[in-house]
Each structure stands twice: as C-alpha cells, then as structure tokens.
C-alpha cells in the first residue's frame, strides 16, 4: 500500500511509539488528542479513536485500534472516525487490528482498557450538545451485565426497569445500593461491586455507604426496606421481556462478500478456504455477531476506506446493533477470523516487510518527529529464573506398575528414559510450607505407567487436601523449575520398571538400559552448578554438537570432549558431572578436531554432526482464559489485560505462556471438577485455541487458590491476602469494598513440612542437605567432608536414610531473589554446636567412608502405604551448612597423612577418607610441593582446573 504525507493526519504523528493508551476525539471532522486525565470519560454525542500499544517480550510493538461511537453521535462523525482509523493504521505500517465499538455493545478487549467500566455521559462536541456540568447529585439507576467485563447502562429510575436476571446499581446521594437479581451469578455480582467502587470513588469522593440487596429477601433488613422505599414500596417484579439486545446470532450463517466499487457482492463457494482471498482485494466476512473486513496487502488506502464504508452500510440494517466490526490485514489475521474458515494453512507466504512502517517513519523523521517506536525494538534478553526457593526437601519415586518405589538420596537425581517418576518438593513459602508434586514421563516410558503415575500423584495431592501445586512434565520439555529443584540431573537410557522390561520383551526390541561398564555418551548442558544435566544420547558421532561438551566412557576408559563453541563454564559442568557418572577415574580430554583414534573407534567412526545450540521455544506473553466444560467439551473465554481480581474462586482458569500452561483452580470449585484439572489442561493443549502450535507435551501446572507458587504469581501484581480470603467471589469483594482492602490474615507459625507417606520433623527454616550458599562469592566444594559424614552417621540407620540430595551450589540471588539471608547469629550458634560435635567424633578412628553414587538399580521396598515411615526424624531435623568459601582452608580438624599414602596408586592407602578430596589431608608443605601453590590459591581455581591438577599428581 502506497503511503504519502497527505494520508497522515498531523494528530497521529508520533502515535504508537510506546506501550500504553492514546485517545483522540473527533472534533470538526479532525482527531484531537484527549489528555490522559480524561481517559475513560466518553460522551454519548461524540466519536473517538483509541490506540492500544502493547510491547511484547520479543521487543516488537503490537497495535489495536478501536473507534468508539456514542449513541447520539452524528453519521458524519462516525464516518470520520472510521476513516481516521484506517489512516492511523497506515501510519503504523498497516498491521493493526481495527475494531468498531458502539456504545452499549463494546468488545471485551475494549472494556478491559477501562476497568472496571465506562459510564458514558450526556453531551457532545459537534451536535450542538453541551457537556453535562457537575451539579447537584441526581439519583440514577444502572444495569450491569457481564461476568468478566461489565457493560454498564443507565436506565430509567423506576421499578419497571428491575428484573430477576440482571444486577442493578442505585446511586443515591448518601448510599449506593446493589440489587442482585435472583437469577444472576455470583461472579456477575462480584464484578458489579467493582462498578459500585468506581461510582463511589468517582462521584462521591470515596465517601458514602454501600448496601447489598438480595432479590426476594424479606423486608426485615433495614437496607432492603430503604431500597424499596425509594421505589415507592415493595412489589413483585415483572418477568423480563425479550428485546433486540437479547437476540441470539448463533444461527446466523457465515457469508463471504467481495467489495467491488464500494459494493459488497457474495462469493460463491462450497466451503470457506484461505484460497478465496485475493491479495489485491478487500472482503467482508459476515458472521452475525462479528463482521470482519479483510484487506489484502496490495490494496490501496482508498480501497480500504471503501471496504469499511460497505461494512458500515451493512451494519445499519435491522437487528445489527450488537454486531462488532473487526478489520484485519492480510498476514495479521486474528485467531477468531481464521477459525471461521473450514481450512486455514499453518503458514501463509505473504510479502511482509518493514516497508510500509519504514516509509512512514522516514517521512515523519524529516519533520522532526521521534520515530523510535515505529520500528521493531531489539528483543529483551532475559535469563530465565525458576522463581522457587531451592532450599527445600526433595523426594523421588520411580513408578513400577501400580506402585511407587522411593529412591534413596544417592539415586534420586538419576532417572531413566524408559521409566516414569513422581517427585514431591517441599519448600518454605510466604507463611507456610509449600509443596509441589509432579510427574516426569521418560520418552520411552509406557502408557500404563504414565497413567499409574498420574493416579498415584493425584492421590498424594488429594491426601494433602488439594493444597500442593502439581506438574506434569515430559522428557525433553522440562521447565527451569524442574531443573532447579533437581539441580544436578542425569537422564539415562532404558529403564528399570516392569512396564519397560515387558515392553522390550513383547516388542523384541533391544534393551538400551544404561550399563556402567558399557559404552555410553552423555551430552552435558545447563546454565551453572545449580542447573546442570547429563543426557545420555546415542553413542555415535552424529550425536555430537560443537556447542556442547560430552562425556564418553567404555568401562574404565573415560573421555571428555569439548566442542569448539563450548565455553569454560561448559567445561566446568563436565568436570562436575564426571564426578557423579564416573567418580575416581581419570578422563582423557579431547578437543574438537584433535580427537584420538580410540575416541572415534568407540563412536563407530567419524560422521557429520551439528554445531548450533539446541534452542527451546521462548516464553511468550501470558494470556488468561476462563474455562467452561460442558458435555466433556472445553470452551474458553479470553480475559484481556488481566489482573488477580479476574481469578474468580468459583471457576478454573488457564494461563497460557506457550512454553507451559497453568490451570488455576478456585477454592469454591467442587472436588470432582478439581480432579479433572489436568484433563482440562491437556484438552487446552490439544485444541490449541490460539493456533500457536502448542506442544501436547508442554508442561502443565495445576495451581490451587491460596497456595499459588511464586512462579505463577510473577505474572500478576499479587496480593496474597486476597487469595487467602474465605467465601464466594461476591462475599469477598463486598468485604473489600466495605473495608477498602482485603482483611489481613494472622500468619500462622511455619508448619513443619509433611511428606507423603510419613510425617517429618524438619525445624523452621529447614533446608535439605544441599550445598547452599547465601553469598554469590561462595563456591561449592564437592562431596561430604569426613566430619560431616561422621556426624550424619550418628543420625542415620539402614532403615532411616537421609533423603535429601547433595548436588552443586545454588546462587541464592539467582534462584530466588526475594529470599532473605538467614540471621548470621543463628548460623554462628549452629556452626559452633556442630563444631563441638565433630570434634568429639574425630577423636575416634571410626570415620565411615563417604557414600558412592552407584549406577545400579536401587532395591528399596515398594511403597504401598502412605503411612510407612521412610525418613529419620533426627536426620531431617539436622541442618548443616557444608559450603566452604573460596580460599578457605579445609583442614581444620582434618587428620594429616603423607602424600605417598594418599595418592591413588599407593600401596598402603589410607582408609576411611573422602576420596574426592584427597588433597585436604596433605600438610601445607606437601600441598605446595605437589600442587605447586598454597591451598588458598588452589581453591580459587575453577573446579575443573583443580581436578586437572589433582589428576597430574595422582590425587584424583
């Protein structure tokens, strides 16, 4: 579309350059900017143009243009608004969606800009009206309709205006009454209270009484008596009579019309397909309640104006007062428009460029106008954050048939691709212990065990009164919360479950289950010690990737391979994962393009492999949907510009972030429907309402009202007091309106975390025994010290093991920005107590060996009863800070041994030492002699460099 300066109204110069709302009123056929202080104030005799600019996460600006027509506006003004909307779209590059809004029948998207409502005022600029001046308060009656957004309309102050189906607000000088029709829903009543609050603040300066009147309630109530007295006394209400506004358009057949020479001619076709739309023409798609104007990319501005005029003419017909006109540009059609067609291709090749937007920007720049917002902004790069406290307690079960088997601490970070797992993570919340219960399905796991995992996890959630958040996760689609909880994860091929073994036997396929002494290749990935994974891949050269590091082993032969695009951080992750996969074995480092023949032989020879990093879909701007399930059919309604107040306790909502979805379940939802929350999430992914190519295996979270985790509440300006209120939506809102805010709830003392299958006695501020650091400058030292092992042994027995995991360091500032540093005095007293205990242990020679991580299958008893006790309360009540600062000496209280007895090839090795830290038992002199530096300097080196130096002197 050609753009020239004559097409651009000066009032639109610089429009749409930043996120927000801009409004123009049509005055003498020209747009005049409305000051921000007057946004939301509309006059019935005027026409307006409204531009909503939204900045997406990608950095691009998206525009929606609306033109609003007051019921008393002139036809000329309405026509000017329609044409100016087309011009504004041209100024923005011809990509905006345009909406026609008629007073009383506005779209939900338009009303969402002016929450809670708009109440148009009498008057107008061009029709000889004078804007209503502030005068003595007059009693007015309004009718409110809508569950998510509210249409407010003033009606005559008479009993005949009332009915049983709607909600009415009577605004008097000293009191505002809300009359709730007996057939109205709780959600509608709650939304109407937001209008009451708006009227109170706008017309009463926040100073007046509020009363709620229930339809059919006896006269004994003083407010009810006062309300009916204003209508001349109580009398039965008449039944509501149907009018044009109540007519249903569902039966209207969809018609496609081509606009030729300002006339709309029907297009004859057996079915509606995308191929019917030609790029050099404009079309009307008449769906009854919606009338779409489709404008081809190669149409002129005059042709688009003509198409809009033809649509306006169509809407002047009978019974079209409620119809919405929506104008879309080729290549930027809305999901609603596409859904009207029998077939619409996933991608349409449209010659779309920055051409139109760039030309307009260049023209405006010559006039000295800032055009920054007209061109695409650079995407905002954000490091993903887990938004969950990672100092909690983790339990992991492997699903075996219809039962679940608890994994010991040493094995809970190793999972098999042929198995299904259930995990329970308990962590400190705002005022109580929070829980996340999830399922993880390996790519090779069988359907029966997936169903069993969901059933077992659901029973766990139900036993905890539906309080925990739930997660359903598939291998390959793990969210950052999952990785951050496990911190160090190894995903192995094959499986240990009966279901996997049965599948392998029945299908006669090779059993790929990981063998410690076999050939295995691992891709190492992650962002740091707090989020690292080793994924077993096919042991062939084509599995390599230049952007990653790998571990390859065959029996006792171990190679590490560094791709040419891998970083030093990646190499450090390899060293850390090597400690877990093949501890105590010296590896042979390989760099890309300098590999040995033995390396390639293990992989079956050289082959081509990729070099680009595996990139996952980015999280998109969140969108909220209300869910309605009828006859097992899911219907959704989008909530635009959502806030926490849109989450109604009687309903279920879906928050769609593209990479994962959240199903929010209100407290007042019945238990039966709560059990179907996961099914609703799966149906949402299956239906893909936004046509965004949602993966059926995207993570699904189920979030219960009152226990919302921080990785959900981050999408809102969250007030936890609101989510902890009791009663239905209306009762809660009435309390807020009458008191001005949500009542504060006395925070209970932190409850001790309850683990499914047994009660634990973890003290306040308990942490699982992970290497946690509260300072970014502290580094993790791998493995347990002998003193720690001895101390732990006194609390540990064969039947009561510590079920926490000791993976790498987590930087508190990265993982949970809101976390508070513990009181240093408490830490000091705790440390001194531990020091006294460890000193007494070291006087004896009975220091047990640090437990090794075994790749073999664990053999715990299957758990069939949730009352089985599987955790030692003494061990769980113990919190030990095991971190060592960079440069901090580690040999305080540690016995000293000669180098000849500590090296791996010693003929007289020392027993009962931590074999991952042989160097700490050296004297300072021998340490410097063999490692070439002081201990302080050594521990400032990256872990992988430390290991390399230790290998060279046979201490690793």
């Amino acid at each position: 579309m050609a753009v020239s300066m004559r097409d651009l109204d000066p009032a639109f110069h610089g429009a749409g350059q930043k996120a927000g709302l801009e409004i123009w009123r049509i005055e003498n056929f020209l747009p005049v900017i409305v000051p921000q202080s007057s946004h939301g104030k509309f006059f019935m005799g005027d026409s307006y143009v409204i531009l909503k600019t939204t900045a997406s996460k990608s950095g691009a600006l998206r525009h929606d243009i609306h033109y609003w027509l007051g019921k008393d506006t002139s036809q000329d003004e309405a026509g000017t608004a329609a044409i100016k909307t087309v011009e504004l779209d041209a100024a923005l590059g011809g990509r905006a969606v345009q909406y026609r809004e008629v007073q009383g029948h506005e779209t939900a998207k338009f009303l969402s800009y002016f929450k809670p409502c708009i109440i148009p005022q009498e008057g107008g600029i061009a029709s000889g009206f004078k804007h209503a001046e502030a005068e003595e308060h007059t009693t007015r009656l309004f009718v409110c309709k809508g569950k998510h957004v509210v249409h407010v309309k003033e009606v005559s102050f008479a009993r005949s205006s009332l009915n049983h189906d709607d909600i009415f607000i009577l605004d008097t000088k000293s009191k505002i009454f809300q009359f709730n029709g007996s057939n109205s829903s709780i959600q509608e009543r709650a939304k109407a209270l937001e209008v009451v609050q708006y009227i109170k603040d706008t017309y009463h300066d926040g100073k007046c009484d509020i009363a709620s009147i229930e339809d059919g309630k006896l006269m004994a109530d003083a407010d009810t008596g006062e309300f009916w007295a204003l209508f001349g006394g109580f009398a039965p209400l008449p039944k509501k009579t149907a009018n044009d506004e109540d007519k249903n358009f569902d039966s209207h057949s969809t018609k496609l019309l081509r606009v030729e020479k300002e006339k709309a001619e029907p297009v004859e076709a057996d079915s509606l397909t995308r191929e019917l739309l030609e790029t050099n023409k404009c079309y009307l798609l008449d769906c009854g309640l919606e009338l779409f104007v489709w404008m081809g990319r190669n149409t002129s501005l005059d042709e688009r104006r003509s198409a809009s005029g033809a649509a306006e003419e169509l809407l002047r017909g009978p019974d079209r007062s409620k119809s919405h006109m929506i104008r879309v540009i080729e290549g930027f059609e809305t999901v609603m428009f596409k859904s009207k067609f029998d077939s619409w291709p996933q991608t349409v090749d449209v010659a779309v460029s920055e051409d139109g937007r760039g030309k307009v920007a260049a023209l405006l720049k010559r006039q000295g106008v800032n055009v920054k917002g007209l061109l695409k902004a650079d995407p905002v790069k954000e490091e993903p954050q887990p938004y969950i406290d990672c100092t909690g307690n983790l339990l992991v079960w492997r699903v075996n048939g219809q039962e679940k088997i608890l994994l010991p601490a040493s094995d809970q970070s190793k999972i098999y691709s042929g198995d299904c797992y259930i995990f329970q993570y308990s962590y400190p919340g705002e005022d109580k212990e929070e829980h996340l219960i999830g399922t993880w399905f390996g790519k090779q796991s069988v359907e029966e065990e997936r169903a069993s995992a969901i059933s077992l996890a659901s029973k766990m959630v139900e036993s905890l009164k539906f309080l925990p958040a739930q997660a359903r996760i598939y291998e390959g689609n793990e969210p950052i919360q999952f990785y951050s909880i496990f911190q160090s994860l190894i995903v192995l091929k094959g499986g240990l479950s009966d279901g996997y073994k049965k599948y392998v036997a029945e299908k006669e396929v090779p059993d790929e289950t990981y063998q410690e002494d076999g050939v295995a290749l691992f891709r190492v990935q992650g962002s740091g010690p707090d989020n690292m994974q080793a994924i077993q891949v096919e042991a062939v050269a084509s599995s390599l990737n230049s952007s990653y590091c790998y571990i390859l082993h065959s029996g006792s032969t171990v190679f590490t391979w560094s791709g040419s695009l891998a970083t030093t951080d990646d190499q450090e992750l390899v060293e850390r994962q090597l400690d877990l996969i093949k501890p105590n074995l010296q590896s042979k480092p390989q760099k890309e393009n300098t590999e040995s023949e033995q390396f390639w032989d293990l992989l079956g020879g050289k082959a081509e492999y990729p070099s680009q990093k595996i990139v996952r879909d980015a999280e998109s701007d969140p969108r909220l949907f209300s869910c309605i399930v009828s006859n097992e059919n899911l219907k959704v309604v989008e909530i635009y510009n959502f806030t926490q107040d849109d989450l109604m306790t009687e309903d279920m909502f879906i928050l769609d972030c593209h990479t994962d979805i959240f199903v929010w379940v209100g407290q007042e939802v019945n238990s039966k429907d709560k059990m179907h929350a996961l099914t609703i999430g799966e149906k949402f992914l299956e239906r893909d309402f936004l046509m965004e190519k949602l993966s059926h295996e995207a993570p699904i979270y189920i979030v219960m009202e009152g226990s919302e985790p921080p990785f959900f509440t981050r999408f809102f300006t969250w007030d936890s007091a609101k989510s902890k209120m009791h009663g239905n939506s209306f009762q809660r809102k009435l309390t807020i309106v009458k008191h001005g805010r949500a009542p504060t709830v006395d925070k209970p003392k932190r409850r001790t975390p309850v683990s499914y299958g047994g009660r634990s006695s973890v003290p306040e501020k308990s942490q699982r025994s992970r290497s946690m650091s509260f300072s970014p400058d502290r580094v993790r030292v791998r493995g347990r010290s002998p003193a720690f092992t001895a101390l732990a042994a006194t609390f540990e027995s064969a039947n009561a093991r510590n079920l926490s995991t000791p993976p790498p360091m987590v930087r508190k500032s990265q993982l949970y920005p809101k976390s508070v540093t513990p009181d240093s005095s408490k830490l000091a007293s705790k440390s001194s107590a531990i020091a006294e205990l460890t000193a007494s242990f070291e006087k004896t020679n009975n220091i047990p060996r640090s437990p090794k991580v075994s790749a073999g299958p664990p053999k715990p008893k299957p758990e069939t009863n949730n009352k089985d006790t599987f955790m030692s309360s003494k061990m769980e009540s113990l919190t030990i800070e095991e971190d060592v600062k960079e440069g901090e000496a580690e040999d305080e209280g540690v016995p000293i041994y000669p180098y000849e007895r500590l090296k791996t090839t010693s003929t007289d090795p020392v027993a009962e030492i931590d074999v991952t830290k042989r160097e700490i038992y050296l004297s300072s002199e021998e340490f410097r002699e063999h490692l070439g530096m002081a201990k302080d300097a050594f521990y400032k080196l990256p872990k992988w460099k430390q290991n390399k130096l230790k290998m060279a002197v046979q201490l690793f």
Side-chain angles (χ1 to χ4, degrees):
M1 180 183 71
V3 179
S4 66
M5 285 306 298
R6 67 181 179 83
D7 295 323
L8 300 176
D9 195 292
F12 294 145
H13 286 187
Q17 295 188 41
K18 60 182 180 180
L21 205 60
E22 295 168 86
I23 303 176
W24 296 263
R25 181 168 56 193
I26 303 301
E27 299 181 10
N28 298 320
F29 307 107
L30 294 172
V32 176
I33 193 76
V34 174
Q36 194 166 357
S37 59
S38 296
H39 284 190
K41 184 185 288 186
F42 293 91
F43 291 94
M44 300 179 189
D46 290 333
S47 297
Y48 296 80
V49 176
I50 298 94
L51 170 64
K52 173 67 173 178
T53 304
T54 308
S56 65
K57 282 195 173 185
S58 66
L61 295 177
R62 189 178 70 247
H63 298 104
D64 290 290
I65 309 174
H66 306 252
Y67 62 102
W68 184 88
L69 310 177
K71 70 180 183 66
D72 298 321
T73 192
S74 69
Q75 192 168 320
D76 289 339
E77 279 186 335
T80 302
I83 290 170
K84 291 299 178 184
T85 300
V86 176
E87 291 180 14
L88 178 57
D89 172 51
L92 296 170
R95 302 181 180 194
V97 180
Q98 304 158 46
Y99 303 83
R100 175 181 182 265
E101 309 285 353
V102 177
Q103 180 183 339
H105 306 292
E106 296 87 356
T107 61
K109 177 174 271 192
F110 177 81
L111 289 176
S112 73
Y113 307 149
F114 307 102
K115 288 183 176 180
C117 65
I118 60 170
I119 302 179
Q121 301 178 32
E122 294 283 350
I125 198 75
S127 305
F129 296 171
K130 289 185 178 179
H131 292 169
E133 300 294 334
E135 53 188 35
E136 186 68 20
H137 189 281
T138 55
T139 299
R140 297 185 295 173
L141 182 66
F142 301 95
V143 61
C144 299
K145 298 182 181 183
K147 179 178 173 180
H148 303 297
V149 291
V150 189
H151 287 87
V152 181
K153 179 182 178 182
E154 186 173 353
V155 293
S156 60
F157 174 31
R159 184 191 290 108
S160 59
S161 297
L162 303 175
N163 62 59
H164 299 293
D165 300 317
D166 297 320
I167 295 157
F168 295 83
I169 295 173
L170 181 62
D171 178 20
T172 70
K173 186 175 182 178
S174 60
K175 187 178 287 189
I176 302 173
F177 298 87
Q178 176 170 316
F179 175 82
N180 301 314
S182 56
N183 297 332
S184 62
S185 70
I186 290 170
Q187 296 95 318
E188 288 174 314
R189 299 176 188 189
K191 276 294 171 187
L193 276 171
E194 295 180 10
V195 179
V196 170
Q197 183 69 56
Y198 171 79
I199 293 172
K200 177 182 177 180
D201 295 339
T202 307
Y203 300 107
H204 297 267
D205 295 325
K207 299 172 184 176
C208 72
D209 293 330
I210 290 170
S212 172
I213 310 301
E214 296 301 317
D215 183 11
K217 192 173 182 181
L218 297 177
M219 296 282 290
D221 180 83
D223 286 333
T224 303
E226 185 180 349
F227 173 80
W228 287 113
L230 291 168
F231 288 92
F234 175 80
L237 296 181
K239 286 188 177 181
K240 185 178 180 182
T241 57
N243 55 35
D244 290 342
E245 295 184 7
D246 300 313
K247 288 185 179 178
N248 197 332
F249 283 89
D250 290 346
S251 59
H252 190 285
S253 59
T254 302
K255 299 174 186 174
L256 182 66
L257 303 99
R258 184 189 299 111
V259 179
E260 300 272 8
K261 297 178 181 178
E262 300 187 12
K263 289 189 178 181
E265 300 293 338
V267 175
E268 300 297 333
D270 294 332
S271 62
L272 280 177
T273 61
R274 168 65 179 83
E275 289 71 27
L276 295 173
L277 305 175
E278 299 177 38
T279 189
N280 60 346
K281 288 184 170 58
C282 293
Y283 295 81
L284 306 183
L285 185 67
D286 188 0
C287 308
L289 194 55
E290 300 99 7
L291 175 61
F292 292 94
V293 182
W294 184 89
M295 297 173 278
R297 296 292 300 178
N298 294 332
T299 54
S300 68
L301 193 58
D302 286 337
E303 287 173 318
R304 297 182 183 186
R305 287 170 177 160
S306 296
S308 296
E312 292 277 359
E313 187 65 35
L314 198 60
L315 293 180
R316 292 192 190 104
D319 303 333
R320 300 307 298 264
S321 62
K322 288 181 70 175
S323 293
H324 298 134
M325 194 215 313
I326 304 164
R327 298 193 292 234
V328 296
I329 308 293
E330 180 182 6
F332 300 93
E333 297 88 352
T334 63
V335 173
M336 182 67 77
F337 178 82
K338 295 176 185 177
S339 69
K340 303 295 182 183
F341 286 74
D342 298 319
S343 65
W344 190 279
Q346 286 284 353
T347 54
V348 178
D349 293 327
V350 180
V352 177
S353 68
E354 292 288 332
D355 189 47
R357 195 179 296 233
K359 284 181 180 178
V360 175
L363 290 168
L364 294 178
K365 193 172 183 180
R366 289 182 207 143
Q367 295 190 343
V369 177
N370 180 9
V371 295
K372 179 182 175 184
L374 288 178
L375 299 175
K376 185 175 178 180
D378 293 330
V380 180
K381 291 184 179 179
E382 293 181 356
E383 280 294 322
Q385 300 289 328
Y387 295 95
I388 189 170
D389 191 315
C390 292
T391 65
N393 293 301
L394 177 66
L395 300 173
V396 183
W397 293 264
R398 189 181 73 248
V399 175
N400 193 50
Q402 299 300 311
E403 61 188 16
K404 64 184 194 295
I405 299 172
L406 180 68
L407 300 185
S410 58
D411 289 329
Q412 65 182 15
S413 62
K414 291 188 311 175
I415 53 182
Y416 287 80
S417 193
D419 293 336
C420 295
Y421 295 83
I422 298 171
F423 62 91
Q424 176 179 305
Y425 181 62
S426 304
Y427 60 98
E430 186 178 313
D431 54 17
K432 66 179 188 298
E433 200 75 5
E434 302 289 359
H435 306 281
L436 174 63
I437 292 176
T439 53
W440 182 88
F441 301 150
K443 287 180 179 177
Q444 299 168 292
S445 60
V446 297
E447 195 58 45
E448 292 82 358
E449 290 190 335
R450 293 181 181 184
S452 178
I454 290 174
S455 175
L456 290 167
S458 296
K459 289 176 182 175
M460 292 167 67
V461 172
E462 191 175 2
S463 71
L464 292 170
K465 299 180 180 178
F466 294 102
L467 291 176
Q470 292 174 255
R472 187 217 65 178
I473 298 167
Y474 280 88
E475 179 184 353
N477 287 277
E478 295 89 350
I480 189 171
Q481 289 81 18
F482 180 82
Y483 285 150
S484 298
I485 288 169
F486 279 80
Q487 299 193 346
S488 177
L489 190 68
I490 301 172
V491 181
L492 303 167
K493 279 184 168 292
L496 306 177
S497 69
D498 293 343
Y500 174 77
K501 291 173 182 175
K502 181 182 176 184
Y503 170 81
V504 168
E506 288 180 352
K507 299 293 182 181
E508 297 182 351
V509 294
D511 186 348
E512 298 181 317
T513 302
Y514 172 74
Q515 299 295 325
E516 193 175 295
D517 56 354
V519 178
L521 179 66
F522 293 88
R523 183 182 73 244
V524 178
Q525 62 188 36
S527 59
D530 53 309
N531 173 357
M532 62 179 187
Q533 304 86 44
I535 313 295
Q536 188 181 357
V537 294
E538 290 291 329
V540 292
S542 58
S543 296
L544 298 174
N545 185 312
S546 302
S547 294
Y548 295 92
C549 293
Y550 289 77
I551 296 170
L552 173 65
H553 75 67
S554 175
S556 59
T557 304
V558 182
F559 290 95
T560 58
W561 184 86
S562 299
S564 58
L565 302 178
T567 65
T568 54
D569 290 339
D570 295 329
Q571 292 168 5
E572 184 173 351
L573 294 184
V574 164
E575 296 294 338
R576 289 178 178 273
Q577 290 288 17
L578 201 56
D579 286 351
L580 301 174
I581 296 171
K582 282 291 183 181
N584 311 324
L585 285 180
Q586 188 166 343
S587 67
K588 300 176 182 179
Q590 306 280 303
K591 288 191 175 181
E592 187 172 5
N593 300 323
T594 61
E595 298 89 350
S596 66
E597 287 299 322
Q598 186 185 6
F599 176 82
W600 290 121
D601 288 344
L602 286 178
L603 294 179
K606 294 184 179 181
E608 289 188 3
Y609 52 82
S611 61
Q612 289 191 333
K613 212 170 184 71
I614 300 168
V615 179
R616 291 192 178 183
D617 286 347
E619 182 179 88
S620 67
D621 298 294
R623 299 175 73 166
L624 185 69
F625 297 86
S626 171
C627 300
I628 303 164
V629 181
S630 60
N631 299 325
E632 298 187 357
N633 185 32
L634 175 64
K635 292 183 180 180
V636 298
V637 177
E638 183 165 7
I639 314 297
Y640 301 100
N641 298 295
F642 61 84
T643 66
Q644 182 185 355
D645 289 337
D646 291 309
L647 301 174
M648 297 283 196
T649 188
E650 296 78 19
D651 295 328
M652 299 171 76
F653 292 82
I654 288 179
L655 188 71
D656 176 11
C657 306
H658 182 70
T659 51
D660 43 25
I661 67 168
F662 298 82
V663 182
W664 182 90
V665 184
Q667 290 178 2
E668 298 292 312
V669 173
N670 64 57
S671 297
K672 184 180 178 182
D673 289 340
K674 285 179 182 178
M675 297 295 289
H676 294 144
L678 179 59
T679 305
I680 289 173
E682 290 173 335
K683 284 186 176 180
F684 184 88
L685 293 177
E686 183 184 326
R687 293 286 302 276
D688 194 11
F689 291 95
L690 296 179
M691 298 183 182
E692 55 180 323
K693 299 180 182 177
L694 282 176
S695 167
H696 288 196
E697 296 185 353
I700 299 175
Y701 290 103
I702 299 168
V703 176
M704 298 297 167
E705 183 184 12
S707 299
E708 293 88 351
F711 52 87
F712 173 79
T713 59
R714 68 189 176 98
F715 296 108
F716 301 81
T717 302
W718 196 260
D719 181 355
S720 56
K722 288 183 178 178
S723 66
K724 290 176 171 59
M725 292 179 71
H726 298 291
N728 62 40
S729 298
F730 175 70
Q731 292 165 340
R732 296 180 188 190
K733 190 74 70 176
L734 187 61
T735 301
I736 293 172
V737 169
K738 285 189 172 183
H739 296 90
R741 59 181 172 80
T744 54
V745 180
D746 291 335
K747 291 186 178 181
K749 291 182 179 179
R750 175 74 54 75
R751 299 180 306 181
T752 55
V754 178
S755 301
Y756 184 82
R759 185 176 297 276
S760 69
S761 54
V762 181
E764 186 176 352
K765 294 189 179 179
S766 70
Q767 296 179 0
R768 54 180 158 148
S769 170
R770 338 192 109 177
S771 215
M772 280 302 301
S773 172
F774 290 94
S775 166
D777 298 325
R778 295 173 67 128
V779 298
R780 179 182 190 280
V781 179
R782 179 169 295 285
R784 295 179 174 182
S785 66
F788 175 82
T789 307
L791 180 60
T794 64
F795 296 94
E796 200 169 30
S797 67
N799 297 322
R801 302 190 58 179
N802 174 22
L803 298 173
S804 58
T805 326
M809 177 189 76
V810 179
R811 292 200 175 191
K812 195 76 172 177
S813 60
Q814 292 177 348
L815 288 181
Y816 202 60
K818 293 183 181 179
S819 294
V820 180
T821 303
D823 191 318
S824 57
S825 63
K826 290 183 180 178
L827 285 179
S829 62
K830 197 175 289 186
S831 299
S832 61
I834 292 172
E836 290 179 15
L837 281 168
T838 52
S840 66
F841 289 131
E842 283 164 2
K843 290 177 182 177
T844 70
N845 292 322
N846 184 25
I847 302 178
R849 185 181 299 272
S850 176
K852 276 189 180 182
V853 175
S854 168
K859 298 179 181 178
K861 292 181 181 179
E863 182 183 326
T864 57
N865 190 329
N866 68 351
K867 293 182 181 178
D868 292 343
T869 302
F870 50 75
M871 189 178 289
S872 164
S873 60
K874 286 185 179 179
M875 190 59 207
E876 280 218 348
S877 64
L878 178 66
T879 302
I880 297 178
E881 290 297 322
E882 211 191 336
D883 295 330
V884 180
K885 287 183 180 176
E886 284 186 317
E888 182 177 321
E890 290 190 279
D891 55 2
E892 291 182 14
V894 175
I896 301 300
Y897 298 103
Y899 168 74
E900 292 301 322
R901 294 192 65 194
L902 289 171
K903 64 182 183 179
T904 55
T905 56
S906 173
T907 55
D908 180 25
V910 181
E912 311 300 346
I913 63 168
D914 186 341
V915 293
T916 67
K917 298 182 188 171
R918 295 174 187 270
E919 78 282 359
I920 70 172
Y921 304 99
L922 290 170
S923 66
S924 298
E925 293 77 14
E926 282 204 298
F927 193 101
R928 186 183 290 275
E929 177 188 343
H930 293 283
L931 290 165
M933 64 187 75
K935 291 188 178 184
D936 286 3
F938 179 79
Y939 289 118
K940 287 179 181 177
L941 297 174
K943 182 67 177 176
W944 66 273
K945 276 194 177 180
Q946 295 177 23
N947 291 342
K948 205 167 186 179
L949 288 171
K950 291 196 291 182
M951 285 180 193
V953 294
Q954 301 176 343
L955 288 174
F956 187 84

